[in-house]
Amino acid sequence: MTEDVPYGPGGEAASRSGRGPTSGLLSADGRLTAVPRRAARREALLTHLAETLFAQGRSYTEGEVNSALLTVHDDFPALRRYLVEAGLLARTRDGSSYRRIT
């Protein structure tokens, strides 16, 4: 049986079925236990997070981004930075607004 773990504002869920970008990375409460070090696995996870946490066509404040990322991992600044560096979230120059790219 597959247990679904809601991630947040995007309203979608991630599976703990043993397959996919979160396979082996989630604790019993659905939070990330670690951010993958391998680039390919991290990229897959970041894509998954962007798609599940952030709706396309909507702008988010930095606080909203932080709150959404905090639902999955305590190091939300690193996740936010990785999402921007991967080109999955766009940030305004002053960092006050974020938007999902993909």
Side-chain angles (χ1 to χ4, degrees):
M1 182 163 107
T2 300
E3 182 178 351
D4 287 331
V5 180
Y7 263 135
E12 298 174 27
S15 173
R16 277 192 269 174
S17 65
R19 297 181 308 265
T22 60
S23 173
L25 297 175
L26 299 177
S27 65
D29 65 356
R31 292 176 51 83
L32 282 172
T33 56
V35 177
R37 292 183 185 192
R38 287 186 22 226
R41 188 140 192 225
R42 183 183 320 159
E43 180 73 26
L45 172 68
L46 293 173
T47 299
H48 176 76
L49 292 178
E51 291 173 353
T52 58
L53 291 173
F54 306 105
Q56 280 194 303
R58 181 178 184 272
S59 291
Y60 294 87
T61 65
E62 183 173 19
E64 290 173 318
V65 171
N66 293 346
S67 293
L69 294 173
L70 190 56
T71 66
V72 294
H73 198 271
D74 289 337
D75 194 359
F76 62 88
L79 287 176
R80 186 184 64 229
R81 182 178 62 249
Y82 293 147
L83 286 164
V84 171
E85 289 174 354
L88 298 168
L89 285 184
R91 175 178 53 203
T92 57
R93 283 186 182 260
D94 65 2
S96 65
S97 180
Y98 293 78
R99 181 176 292 272
R100 182 174 139 200
I101 305 243
T102 59

